[in-house]
Amino acid sequence: MKVLEARGVTKSFGGLKAVDGVSFGVDYGELVGLIGPNGSGKTTLINILSGHLAADAGEILVDGKPMRGLTPLRASRGGIQRMFQLTRVFRRMPALDNLVTAGCALGMALDAAQARARELIEELQLARVATLDAGHLSGGQQKLLEFGCCFMAQPKIALLDEPFAAVHPTMKEIMAGFIRRRHAAGQTFLIVSHDMPVIVELAARTICMNAGEVLADGETRKVLVNPQVIEAYLGGEAA
């Protein structure tokens, strides 16, 4: 069964079609990579799927049901959690309280949110900075913290926009290990990334976008050797 589906989704900004008739679905338990050159529409699509932008046309379905008037709050409480390309945390709030706040916003009781936050702080190896204001954490630690906020409540699907960008290899491995463990337990992911080795390792299936359209969708290794995909990335004829 598909947890999330896009049907003919379109979004324009002035005369530019950032997303042009995109259709695809993600089944429960899948881990799907979403790749494409800069400006291909990936983040715009994630913003639409998470309710941060309204599509001009097309439908978003969750569990097979059309989600009209999707808002970020409705999406998150409906089990669609997302991580932003540009990290968003409460910089003047302790790291642990960032997680607790995310849990309470999702409807968790305070005691349950505090217990869950402590579990995540340990698993993400942020215990030694738990009481520091998030603004005092390194960029990579802030990414880990925002990443953790996506898992305060069990999401139906986690939409991760460039989670590994500009992150120290140690922290990248903490995040990748978390994703591997959760996926093995049945968690569903859609991951936007330019880090091809990580996409190859984590994602059995990959979607490539270019100029707002789906260029290829299939087994990751086959998508990455698709001549059209190579041309989109290199800007010339594939060898």
Side-chain angles (χ1 to χ4, degrees):
M1 180 179 181
K2 297 192 187 308
V3 58
L4 185 64
E5 188 174 1
R7 292 183 179 173
V9 171
T10 298
K11 181 66 179 179
S12 297
F13 298 99
L16 172 67
K17 274 195 175 178
V19 177
D20 189 4
V22 166
S23 298
F24 70 94
V26 180
D27 291 337
Y28 272 97
E30 270 198 297
L31 194 162
V32 180
L34 179 59
I35 66 171
N38 291 332
S40 59
K42 306 182 299 297
T43 293
T44 299
L45 178 62
I46 293 293
N47 285 337
I48 293 169
L49 296 176
S50 59
H52 288 81
L53 276 178
D56 296 332
E59 284 189 320
I60 305 298
L61 290 79
V62 178
D63 291 334
K65 299 175 183 177
M67 295 291 285
R68 303 187 189 282
L70 187 67
T71 64
L73 180 60
R74 189 179 178 197
S76 61
R77 290 195 169 179
I80 302 171
Q81 297 298 326
R82 68 86 53 90
M83 181 178 180
F84 291 86
Q85 184 172 352
L86 298 177
T87 308
R88 297 188 182 185
V89 294
F90 296 110
R91 296 177 56 83
R92 297 177 66 182
M93 182 184 289
L96 185 67
D97 290 350
N98 267 263
L99 293 170
V100 173
T101 300
C104 290
L106 292 170
M108 298 176 71
L110 179 59
D111 287 351
Q114 289 173 331
R116 177 62 177 148
R118 287 191 290 269
E119 290 175 0
L120 282 170
I121 281 282
E122 290 291 340
E123 187 171 2
L124 295 173
Q125 300 183 34
L126 293 173
R128 66 185 179 87
V129 298
T131 60
L132 293 180
D133 284 355
H136 292 157
L137 275 56
S138 70
Q141 288 170 331
Q142 289 184 33
K143 279 235 177 196
L144 280 176
L145 182 60
E146 185 189 358
F147 176 79
C149 289
C150 295
F151 299 94
M152 280 298 296
Q154 183 72 16
K156 289 181 180 178
I157 184 169
L159 311 177
L160 308 180
D161 194 357
E162 295 290 356
F164 310 112
V167 174
H168 188 278
T170 299
M171 293 178 189
K172 183 166 78 170
E173 181 48 40
I174 291 170
M175 203 182 303
F178 186 103
I179 291 169
R180 283 192 292 268
R181 291 190 298 275
R182 290 300 187 278
H183 182 231
Q187 176 64 58
T188 310
F189 292 89
L190 178 63
I191 302 177
V192 177
S193 184
H194 284 293
D195 192 327
M196 294 307 167
V198 175
I199 288 292
V200 169
E201 178 200 351
L202 295 177
R205 173 188 166 205
T206 291
I207 298 165
C208 180
M209 290 183 66
N210 188 41
E213 300 180 339
V214 172
L215 189 62
D217 181 354
E219 183 183 336
T220 296
R221 292 184 183 276
K222 291 182 179 178
V223 167
L224 294 183
V225 297
N226 182 313
Q228 290 180 298
V229 172
I230 295 172
E231 183 176 352
Y233 269 101
L234 300 181
E237 300 251 344

